[in-house]
Amino acid sequence: MENFQYTYLLGNLLALPLWVYLFIHRKDCRKEILIASFCVGILAVLWAPWFLRDYWRPEYIHASFFKNWRLGGGEDFLYGFFLGGIANVIYEEIFGKHFCKRRDRKHHWSWFLIPFFALFFLVFGLPLYFGINSIYAALISFLILGLFMLYFRRDLFWDSLASGLLVGLLTLFGYLIFLALFPGVIHQWWLLPNLSGTFIMGVPIEELLWAFGVGMVAGPFYEFFMGLKFRKR
């Protein structure tokens, strides 16, 4: 058994250069990046115990933090922080999108309260009461939440789809580097008997579907929440 105590932290740092680039380059999106980063980072800490139960068992630098408080560790926060910020603005960066100052007053931010609570019910309720693996419950939650947003804001369809695909591709690329640096970590950390057994270039397909789901929801999250629209060419 190899010692992977610092692997989770080092793996997160692979996303740091891209996050910093987006934060520096997209001055118009800095508020959006920070909001998404902190929201997803906090959610990652709250979600961690459920994924540790039946999905994976990563090594933490301070494992006692999880045991004592039944929360995720600092590595979970960094993972969510970097992933959320990148997912939220990668579509705007790749396709050169900018927001117009006019806001869509028809769809108020309060609409988001309903899917917010639905997300928590599905992520936490389904695994606990119906025995569904936490990763699949999370994927169901992303799908429902994404469809809810698109029902009210169909103009965000391409933002949602492209963000999901881009985050999925970036995650795959990141994992190729990660696995080259830390071979064997997948079999040591992931509870593979609980998963589908399908891999893409050595990466469990659940990880890529998770990345797509995060991108699909986090990509248009800020625009939906704030009622913003993209400028027309």
Side-chain angles (χ1 to χ4, degrees):
M1 298 290 286
E2 297 182 54
N3 184 358
F4 290 113
Q5 184 177 6
Y6 296 96
T7 298
Y8 195 1
L9 174 61
L10 295 175
N12 285 331
L13 295 180
L14 293 175
L16 177 60
L18 179 57
W19 190 95
V20 171
Y21 168 79
L22 293 172
F23 187 78
I24 294 176
H25 186 252
R26 290 305 299 260
K27 296 179 180 179
D28 58 315
C29 295
R30 286 181 177 175
K31 181 179 178 181
E32 177 183 357
I33 292 172
L34 288 175
I35 290 175
S37 292
F38 278 104
C39 286
V40 179
I42 292 172
L43 286 175
V45 173
L46 297 175
W47 277 339
W50 299 93
F51 291 104
L52 289 169
R53 182 174 62 91
D54 57 15
Y55 181 62
W56 74 331
R57 303 277 172 78
E59 295 181 36
Y60 293 91
I61 296 177
H62 299 291
S64 60
F65 182 80
F66 166 73
K67 293 179 180 178
N68 293 336
W69 298 95
R70 297 187 180 277
L71 295 171
E75 293 94 330
D76 293 309
F77 177 79
L78 287 178
Y79 171 79
F81 185 88
F82 292 139
L83 182 63
I86 292 171
N88 197 248
V89 79
I90 192 65
Y91 171 75
E92 290 96 307
E93 174 62 16
I94 295 296
F95 293 96
K97 297 289 185 177
H98 296 270
F99 299 119
C100 57
K101 293 183 178 180
R102 180 176 58 85
R103 293 188 176 184
D104 179 11
R105 301 292 182 181
K106 183 179 179 181
H107 304 113
H108 193 264
W109 64 267
S110 60
W111 283 106
F112 200 77
L113 291 177
I114 297 175
F116 180 82
F117 287 111
L119 172 66
F120 272 85
F121 170 78
L122 289 167
V123 171
F124 297 118
L126 285 175
L128 182 61
Y129 294 107
F130 300 103
I132 297 177
N133 188 289
S134 56
I135 190 65
Y136 300 123
L139 295 178
I140 294 171
S141 301
F142 289 143
L143 178 61
I144 292 177
L145 189 54
L147 291 176
F148 183 92
M149 289 193 294
L150 293 177
Y151 177 81
F152 293 101
R153 290 289 305 274
R154 297 178 185 178
D155 59 302
L156 296 176
F157 173 79
W158 291 112
D159 183 355
S160 180
L161 179 62
S163 295
L165 292 173
L166 288 169
V167 174
L169 288 173
L170 287 171
T171 298
L172 177 59
F173 177 73
Y175 262 106
L176 294 179
I177 300 175
F178 182 66
L179 294 179
L181 295 173
F182 308 104
V185 69
I186 293 292
H187 292 278
Q188 186 160 329
W189 282 4
W190 273 258
L191 304 178
L192 297 180
N194 296 342
L195 308 182
S196 67
T198 302
F199 296 83
I200 295 179
M201 303 182 73
V203 182
I205 194 171
E206 286 81 3
E207 279 295 303
L208 302 180
L209 291 174
W210 159 268
F212 176 85
V214 172
M216 179 182 68
V217 173
F221 170 83
Y222 187 77
E223 294 88 318
F224 180 87
F225 189 84
M226 300 299 293
L228 296 173
K229 288 189 174 182
F230 293 114
R231 289 180 193 162
K232 294 182 179 180
R233 292 184 180 275

